[in-house]
């Protein structure tokens, strides 16, 4: 949240007042734009969504990232976290600590984002009368839109039991409400290891195109937030926030947004089951004339017919029946009788939700603001931003009555604690005893070996027949009742219930099974989650163990995702999660995290915004290794500063001057911590490059206009520039051009890396 400039200002005033002030500002035109260095557009979304001054009512769309330049560090958290150490080298004298214990309280911390991304998904399927009631309350998308924000924050502690029966309480458990049958990703057999296979349902929709569109939307959303910040704070003088101390333990709002949108809206896909529904809310209203028959009809539609989920989705998920009672127009006595009848016919998984049907307004005494969902998809947020640029755009804020808030929170908590979690625990126990335990025993290993080498049976041929692939279907998926699919659900359920040991052991079994079946996307996903779970587990990993386990898992995931399956989203997600969790382990794991981050940059998967954010993250990653002793032996300060400089250059090429200035300031601060503060000037190329960046920032539109006086006929600021300073400017610009020409290129089409540039810094 933006910090007020004046002491007497209310903490909540800048968020409402600032966008109006920003829209009234005269944003100068660029005279020395560096965006021409990279003329290729970010995505098609950038072309269709040119940034314009947003309606002042659109401030809430950017509330998660809108902050004054000096109020929060632009680089993500953990920069100076000396307690995050998990290996025992000569430079590490602190006791080990697990990443889960270093999660922090902020919901924008990367580890907390990981915990909140992979959560149980609950589908919502409501009758027409229920959707009509929701429309009267002002929710055009129905009951799902009303319930979604409440699933992201379950009130109070939730007790979860692991596979050994040990209970533990957590206060950050959440679920994700989704629309039933929405966002289904059908497999493409051409990238599933079966080149000569039968066409699948919707197989013409290539997985690669879906991934590229998703990544383009994520980058476009973050770019819009960055542009809004440039518009809001671009005209503020450079030294206005110089006295404010930035909190180095705060995650960059733009990196948190990037990671959140990357992990949002996971599709219902065959290679992982996180987004498969663990329950479905079947809802009717008290206005329905035949409630029991309507509930049975809704159940039948979720179980069969056109709306039935695909074959790779297990249909044996929990149905939770909800009767929505209209407090203002219907009789509560009749609704109570109907609710008792529902429990007799349908079981105990029922709830009576009492809501008011009228629409709440901000001026009502008992109204409260309904928060926007933090986990909306990138495409949904991008559509909201498009609408906000229209002149007739209305404030997207929604208000509901406090009685409705209390009723919905009670409903969600009761459903989670009394129905969803016990059902998941029961499934985990059954699947572990009946399927996974047999595979872990001697008999299961022998059967797997015999199946692999076909002892006494038909040999595995390369003809592509179904017999050679065991349970792997020709269309590119495992049926829901197959052992491989059940074990994947077991592993994902254990992960969502935070039973890391059971999840990791099951992922380990699946790695070999999927490899034998040549189900490469399944194989990549199993390797990805095996590495993530192993890094989250509270155990010490030596450099040798990491090389034998984590590195091999991430390498297999990257190769299968990126090369075999052409799935750039999976490759980007696996390396990003690996980087974050390795960084949290500290010690020599920081160097491993840096190597995987550089590998991610070399893969050219991310766009311009992601490239700059990853470079920032590498600077934070290396800065988290502080070293020991007064000389900080083993620290990586110079590497951290070098990556901050490279991030500043990446932001400057996109004309994001505020971000570039912050990164360059971070680099100067880190170089100042070295024993020889001006040692960087001894390296001519690196020193000239930093000077050229500083000069380009001095020439940025907002700095030039703040220092100048008056405007010309084009609205540009006119400063008092004499001939000597003009000649100096031309000299520095030419020096930067020559410096960039002699150093390794930053954005080239031939895949050249930035190792040469970093070498000049180190």
């Amino acid at each position: 949240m933006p910090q007020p400039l004046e002491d007497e200002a209310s903490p909540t005033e800048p968020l409402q007042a600032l966008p109006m002030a920003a829209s009234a500002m005269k944003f100068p035109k660029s005279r020395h734009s560096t965006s021409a260095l990279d003329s290729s557009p970010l995505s098609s979304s950038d072309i269709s969504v040119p940034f314009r001054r947003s309606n002042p009512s659109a401030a809430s769309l950017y509330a998660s990232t809108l902050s004054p330049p000096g109020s929060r560090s632009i680089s993500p958290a953990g920069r100076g976290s000396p307690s995050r150490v998990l290996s025992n080298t000569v430079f590490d004298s602190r006791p080990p600590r697990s990443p889960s214990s270093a999660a922090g309280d902020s919901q924008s911390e990367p580890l907390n984002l990981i915990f909140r991304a992979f959560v149980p998904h609950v589908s919502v399927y409501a009758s027409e009368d229920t959707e009509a009631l929701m429309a009267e309350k002002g929710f055009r998308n129905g009951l799902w839109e009303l319930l979604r924000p409440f699933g992201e924050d379950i009130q109070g502690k939730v007790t979860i039991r692991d596979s050994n029966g040990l209970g533990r309480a957590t206060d950050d458990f959440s679920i994700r409400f989704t629309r039933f049958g929405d966002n289904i990703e059908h497999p493409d057999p051409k990238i599933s290891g079966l080149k000569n296979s039968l066409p699948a349902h919707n197989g013409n929709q290539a997985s690669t195109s879906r991934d590229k569109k998703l990544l383009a939307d994520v980058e476009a959303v973050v770019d819009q937030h960055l542009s809004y910040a440039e518009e809001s704070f671009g005209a503020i003088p450079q030294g206005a926030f110089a006295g404010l101390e930035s909190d180095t333990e705060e995650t960059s709002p733009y990196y948190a947004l990037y990671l959140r949108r990357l992990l949002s809206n996971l599709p219902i896909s065959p290679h992982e089951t996180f987004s498969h529904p663990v329950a479905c809310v079947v809802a009717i209203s008290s206005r329905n004339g035949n409630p029991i028959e309507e509930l049975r009809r809704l159940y039948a539609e979720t179980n069969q017919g056109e709306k039935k989920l695909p074959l790779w989705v297990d249909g044996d998920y929990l149905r939770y029946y909800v009767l929505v009672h209209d407090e203002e127009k219907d009789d509560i006595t009749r609704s109570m009788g109907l609710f008792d009848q529902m429990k007799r016919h349908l079981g105990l998984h029922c709830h009576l939700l009492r809501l008011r049907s009228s629409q709440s307004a901000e001026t009502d005494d008992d109204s409260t603001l309904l928060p926007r969902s933090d986990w909306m998809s990138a495409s949904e947020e991008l559509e909201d931003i498009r609408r906000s640029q229209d002149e007739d755009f209305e404030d997207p804020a929604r208000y509901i009555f406090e009685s409705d808030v209390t009723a919905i929170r009670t409903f969600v908590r009761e459903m989670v604690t009394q129905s969803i979690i016990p059902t998941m625990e029961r499934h985990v126990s059954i699947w572990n005893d009946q399927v996974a335990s047999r595979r872990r025993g001697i008999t299961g290993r022998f059967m797997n070996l015999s199946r692999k080498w076909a002892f006494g049976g038909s040999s595995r041929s390369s003809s592509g027949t179904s017999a050679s692939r065991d349970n792997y279907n020709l269309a590119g998926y495992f049926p829901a009742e197959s052992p491989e699919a059940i074990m994947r659900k077991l592993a994902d359920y254990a992960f969502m219930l935070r039973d890391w040991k059971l999840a990791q052991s099951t992922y380990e079994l699946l790695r070999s099974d999927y490899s034998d079946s040549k189900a490469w996307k399944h194989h990549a996903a199993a390797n990805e989650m095996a590495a993530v779970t192993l890094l989250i587990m509270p155990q010490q990993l030596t450099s040798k163990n990491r090389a034998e386990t984590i590195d091999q898992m991430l390498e297999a995931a990257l190769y299968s995702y990126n090369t075999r399956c052409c799935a750039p989203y999976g490759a980007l997600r696996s390396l990003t999660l690996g980087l974050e969790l390795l960084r949290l382990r500290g010690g020599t794991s920081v160097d491993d995290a840096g190597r995987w981050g550089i590998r991610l940059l070399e893969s050219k998967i991310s766009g311009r915004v992601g490239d700059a954010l990853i470079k920032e993250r590498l600077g934070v990653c290396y800065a988290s290794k502080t070293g020991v002793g007064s000389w900080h032996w083993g620290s990586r300060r110079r590497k951290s500063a070098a990556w901050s400089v490279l991030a500043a250059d990446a932001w400057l090429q996109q004309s994001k001057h505020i971000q570039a200035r912050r990164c360059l300031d971070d680099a100067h601060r880190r170089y100042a911590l070295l024993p020889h503060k001006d040692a960087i000037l001894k390296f001519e190329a690196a020193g000239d490059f930093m000077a050229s960046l500083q000069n380009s920032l001095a020439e940025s539109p907002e700095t030039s206009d703040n220092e100048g006086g008056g405007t010309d006929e084009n609205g540009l600021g006119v400063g008092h520039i004499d001939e000597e300073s003009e000649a100096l400017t031309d000299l520095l610009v030419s020096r930067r051009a020559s410096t960039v020409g002699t150093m390794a290129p930053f954005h080239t089409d031939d895949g050249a890396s930035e190792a040469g540039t970093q070498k000049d810094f180190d």
Side-chain angles (χ1 to χ4, degrees), residues 654-714:
Q654 302 175 50
S655 299
K656 301 297 187 291
H657 303 96
I658 295 177
Q659 320 305 108
R661 184 178 298 115
R662 293 292 300 277
C663 291
L664 200 59
D665 289 345
D666 285 345
H668 282 301
R669 282 195 296 268
R670 289 166 188 167
Y671 279 127
L673 296 175
L674 297 174
H676 304 285
K677 297 180 176 58
D678 299 328
I680 187 63
L681 300 179
K682 302 298 182 181
F683 299 89
E684 182 178 359
D688 290 349
F689 185 71
M690 289 188 65
S692 66
L693 290 178
Q694 193 69 43
N695 179 71
S696 298
L697 285 174
E699 293 179 324
S700 64
E702 62 272 14
T703 304
S704 301
D705 285 358
N706 286 326
E707 293 176 353
T711 56
D712 60 8
E713 65 274 7
N714 295 324

Side-chain angles (χ1 to χ4, degrees), residues 96-263:
R97 187 177 180 182
S98 65
S100 58
S101 63
D105 297 330
S106 175
Q107 295 187 7
S108 61
E109 288 292 327
L111 185 57
N112 281 333
L113 292 178
I114 295 174
F115 287 163
R116 292 178 177 272
F118 301 102
V119 296
H121 283 55
V122 179
S123 298
V124 178
Y125 193 48
S127 61
E128 294 181 1
D129 52 280
T130 306
E131 301 291 52
L133 190 150
M134 294 299 109
E136 293 180 12
K137 290 182 67 64
F139 297 96
R140 293 174 298 178
N141 294 321
L143 182 63
W144 162 76
E145 183 181 3
L146 175 62
L147 297 179
R148 180 167 62 163
F150 295 94
E152 298 170 2
D153 185 16
I154 307 298
Q155 296 293 314
K157 292 184 178 294
V158 176
T159 302
I160 306 174
R161 297 187 181 276
D162 59 16
S163 56
N164 296 322
L166 300 177
R168 63 192 183 283
T170 177
D171 56 359
D172 60 348
F173 193 81
S174 61
I175 60 175
R176 190 88 69 249
F177 283 109
T178 61
R179 283 183 284 198
F180 180 78
D182 192 22
N183 195 25
I184 298 178
E185 177 184 306
H186 294 279
D188 188 350
K190 295 181 180 180
I191 62 170
S192 300
L194 297 170
K195 299 286 186 181
N196 303 318
S197 59
L198 299 176
H201 179 60
N202 285 349
N204 56 344
Q205 185 180 7
S207 175
T208 305
S209 300
R210 289 193 298 263
D211 285 5
K212 289 183 178 180
K213 182 182 183 304
L214 173 61
L215 296 180
D217 288 344
V218 172
E219 298 245 342
V221 166
V222 180
D223 187 69
Q224 290 293 315
H225 280 254
L226 289 164
S227 299
Y228 189 84
E230 290 286 328
E231 180 191 20
S232 301
F233 302 109
I236 297 178
Q238 181 174 354
F241 300 96
L244 295 178
E245 291 292 334
S246 60
D247 187 357
T248 58
E249 292 298 320
E250 283 283 343
T251 302
S252 162
Y254 303 105
Y255 182 79
L257 176 67
Y258 181 81
L259 192 58
R260 189 184 298 113
R261 292 294 169 264
L262 191 67
L263 300 176

Side-chain angles (χ1 to χ4, degrees), residues 323-336:
L323 174 61
V324 181
H325 169 71
D326 186 352
E327 288 278 75
E328 297 176 343
K329 299 180 181 180
D330 292 332
D331 183 13
I332 185 60
T333 304
R334 177 181 177 274
S335 297
M336 292 293 292

Side-chain angles (χ1 to χ4, degrees), residues 1-4 6 8-20:
M1 181 178 292
Q3 302 295 324
E6 301 295 336
E8 64 274 7
S10 172
T12 59
E13 287 177 358
L15 191 60
Q16 302 296 333
L18 180 60
M20 298 191 65

Side-chain angles (χ1 to χ4, degrees), residues 562 575 595-606 611 614 751-755:
N562 204 34
L575 292 192
R595 283 192 290 269
W596 284 112
I598 296 173
R599 183 77 175 274
L600 181 57
L601 291 175
E602 292 174 347
S603 65
K604 304 291 183 182
I605 297 175
S606 59
D611 180 81
I614 293 169
S753 66
E754 300 167 352

Side-chain angles (χ1 to χ4, degrees), residues 286-317:
S286 55
R287 302 176 180 180
N288 196 289
N290 299 311
I292 301 299
E293 290 75 8
E294 181 70 12
L295 286 172
R296 288 173 176 168
R297 184 186 67 82
L298 295 175
Y299 171 81
E301 290 181 354
T302 62
N303 197 42
Q304 58 189 2
E306 296 181 356
K307 296 184 179 181
K308 180 184 177 182
L309 295 178
L311 296 176
W312 62 83
V313 179
D314 187 6
D316 187 22
Y317 48 85

